Amino acid sequence: AQSVTQLDSHVSVSEGTPVLLRCNYSSSYSPSLFWYVQHPNKGLQLLLKYTSAATLVKGINGFEAEFKKSETSFHLTKPSAHMSDAAEYFCVVRPSGGGYNKLIFGAGTRLAVHP
Amino acid sequence: KAGVTQTPRYLIKTRGQQVTLSCSPISGHRSVSWYQQTPGQGLQFLFEYFSETQRNKGNFPGRFSGRQFSNSRSEMNVSTLELGDSALYLCASRPGQGENEQYFGPGTRLTVT
């Protein structure tokens, strides 16, 4: 069975400092991996996706993630946090072979950004 | 293009009642999926519809059902509501071809009392 584990439920950073949100996945095959962000009272917005092309994936708003097969990780990073980055972030895996819409979500990491 | 819209945005129901939630996908998108989000269980896949046919289903009881219309709009129904059905219900759409990412609506917040 495929699954994702987000290693931190809460992360707090100061504005202008780097952001690291950690995600490990479990998959029998090469997975498709995503990071979504959810702002309060809003739907989910796709930040970036990995689909077996380049292992370093660049997304919107300065975020990027690196797929490391040997470590089964897909950590999300940003060099410099902005106040507007405060939100909940979800690491997501899509099962391989059919069920393209059946996304499996991690538990989420709430990011707080302090002035 | 307008995004995914969901109605209503907020709903309060009593245990034992039934409820219908509506989702209008992005124009041209033929696939609609539904997810339930709760503090305890997180985000869980309910079902997916494509061209009026259910293609995938998550591990939810039969009280949860859905359908899709010829214009790709979708409805989700929950019968005999339980307190545990209180959640944010999210709808997502995609064009339906290839491995396109999903676009999510703002959700319907259902409270069961």
Side-chain angles (χ1 to χ4, degrees):
Chain A
Q2 303 193 49
S3 64
V4 287
T5 302
Q6 293 183 241
L7 301 173
D8 308 292
S9 59
H10 291 82
V11 170
S12 181
V13 300
S14 298
E15 191 175 21
T17 65
V19 175
L20 170 63
L21 305 183
R22 299 182 295 163
C23 172
N24 286 353
Y25 69 91
S26 170
S27 174
S28 302
Y29 307 99
S30 294
S32 293
L33 293 160
F34 308 81
W35 276 98
Y36 280 86
V37 60
Q38 186 176 33
H39 291 274
N41 300 316
K42 296 282 184 67
L44 294 157
Q45 181 183 21
L46 179 69
L47 279 177
L48 49 81
K49 63 180 179 181
Y50 167 78
T51 55
S52 75
T55 57
L56 181 62
V57 182
K58 293 188 184 299
I60 62 171
N61 300 335
F63 284 96
E64 62 181 38
E66 186 172 7
F67 174 73
K68 292 187 176 181
K69 187 174 182 179
S70 61
E71 299 176 11
T72 61
S73 69
F74 190 57
H75 300 336
L76 181 70
T77 60
K78 182 173 181 177
S80 177
H82 192 272
M83 296 296 289
S84 61
D85 294 329
E88 187 146 24
Y89 292 78
F90 294 93
C91 182
V92 182
V93 65
R94 178 166 59 203
S96 55
Y100 286 147
N101 266 9
K102 188 175 181 178
L103 302 180
I104 298 171
F105 287 78
T109 297
R110 186 165 297 278
L111 175 66
V113 182
H114 302 287
Chain B
K1 272 187 182 178
V4 177
T5 58
Q6 292 186 245
T7 56
R9 290 292 311 278
Y10 301 91
L11 204 50
I12 299 175
K13 289 286 189 179
T14 303
R15 195 170 52 180
Q17 288 185 315
Q18 75 165 18
V19 68
T20 299
L21 311 181
S22 180
C23 171
S24 292
I26 292 172
S27 177
H29 286 195
R30 298 168 62 192
S31 170
V32 173
S33 293
W34 289 89
Y35 295 83
Q36 182 196 63
Q37 185 177 23
T38 61
Q41 299 298 318
L43 273 150
Q44 294 182 287
F45 172 78
L46 279 156
F47 29 66
E48 175 208 352
Y49 285 87
F50 179 80
S51 294
E52 302 178 64
T53 302
Q54 187 180 89
R55 291 214 299 186
N56 282 295
K57 191 177 192 305
N59 296 325
F60 279 82
R63 301 185 296 107
F64 291 81
S65 63
R67 59 177 175 169
Q68 187 180 33
F69 301 94
S70 58
N71 62 358
S72 295
R73 189 176 70 84
S74 177
E75 288 182 346
M76 190 192 99
N77 185 276
V78 187
S79 62
T80 319
L81 283 166
E82 300 177 0
L83 296 179
D85 297 332
S86 295
L88 180 67
Y89 290 89
L90 292 164
C91 167
S93 78
R94 68 183 183 104
Q97 294 180 359
E99 297 192 13
N100 308 93
E101 59 263 28
Q102 296 187 53
Y103 297 86
F104 283 82
T108 294
R109 172 77 61 187
L110 172 64
T111 302
V112 182
T113 61

